[in-house]
Amino acid sequence: MAVSEDEGQSRSIAAVERAMDVLLYFGRTDQPDLGVTEIATALGLTKAAVHRILTALRSRELITVDPATRRYALGHAAVALGRAYLARTDVRAMAAPELRRLSERTHETATLSLRRGDTRLYVDQVVPDQELRLEVSLGIPFPLNAGASSKAFLAFLPDFEVDAYLTRHPLEAVTDKTITDPAKLRKDLAAVRKRGYSTSLGERQAGAASIAAPIFDHDARVVAVISLAGPALRFKADTQEAVADLLASASRISAQLGYRP
């Protein structure tokens, strides 16, 4: 029976989509390599179909195989694509105009933080032209339980990562307002997840108030945190305007990274 041109095109598109699903699955899994059966089960495909797809991906060096174990991993071409993507998606460059916009609208300090293992650090800031203002130290690691930016990271990590962090680290006080009780911290993190942002009143720096929101990538992982901070005597971190401005900025940066809520 002859296949029409439209049917043939539809089948070709479906085959490409299945191949992309397989390739993207390698990027989502935490395992360094995968077997044919694992991939077929995860994606609802037959093992024969998965094998054909892997063979095609191997021919373009997107996938490599270990001859001894017959397990597959991302190949050189896939790594090159990842590097090209990262080179074009510098979070700091994306966040820079949002930091300026936030600082101009609120007349407070806007910051960007990245996570480094069990710590986070400020990597950029825009400081307002005010005599009384808050400035942060770039590149200094802070614990993930102290301050709004830190809690915004911790709150949106998977539960097992939060558990592991609390197991590895006793909650030491940075100021007398830092949360050091694990139960109290868990309750605070649950509230942060529910409302989508975190707040702090002197938890990392005495006399400072701050609000922070997570920035997500295309896999819905928190990759950075953007915040507003100022002297507690002036800056009211939980005002509707500050919250709306911050969440809008975080949403725009996340969208550039491919995040879809």
Side-chain angles (χ1 to χ4, degrees), residues 84-217:
Y85 171 78
L86 290 175
R88 291 165 174 78
T89 55
D90 184 339
V91 177
R92 283 173 291 188
M94 289 181 180
E98 295 295 343
L99 294 182
R100 290 193 296 270
R101 182 182 292 110
L102 282 172
S103 186
E104 289 170 0
R105 284 180 60 84
T106 63
H107 306 291
E108 300 293 356
T109 298
T111 75
L112 179 72
S113 292
L114 297 180
R115 181 185 171 198
R116 289 294 180 267
D118 285 347
T119 66
R120 66 94 188 170
L121 45 89
Y122 293 111
V123 295
D124 201 2
Q125 67 178 323
V126 174
V127 181
D129 185 17
Q130 297 233 52
E131 185 175 353
L132 180 62
R133 61 192 184 187
L134 183 72
E135 292 191 49
V136 301
S137 299
L138 302 184
I140 304 298
F142 296 106
L144 293 180
N145 65 296
S149 291
S150 289
K151 291 188 299 182
F153 274 112
L154 201 58
F156 293 93
L157 292 178
D159 288 341
F160 75 89
E161 288 196 47
V162 176
D163 293 340
Y165 177 81
L166 293 177
T167 299
R168 288 191 299 266
H169 300 280
L171 301 181
E172 299 180 359
V174 178
T175 72
D176 61 358
K177 297 293 183 64
T178 306
I179 300 176
T180 57
D181 181 335
K184 185 177 180 181
L185 180 61
R186 287 182 186 277
K187 184 177 180 180
D188 192 16
L189 296 179
V192 171
R193 284 192 296 273
K194 185 175 181 179
R195 65 175 177 256
Y197 63 91
S198 61
T199 61
S200 169
L201 186 59
E203 294 177 24
R204 186 196 64 80
Q205 182 176 343
S210 60
I211 180 175
I215 294 169
F216 299 103
D217 68 6

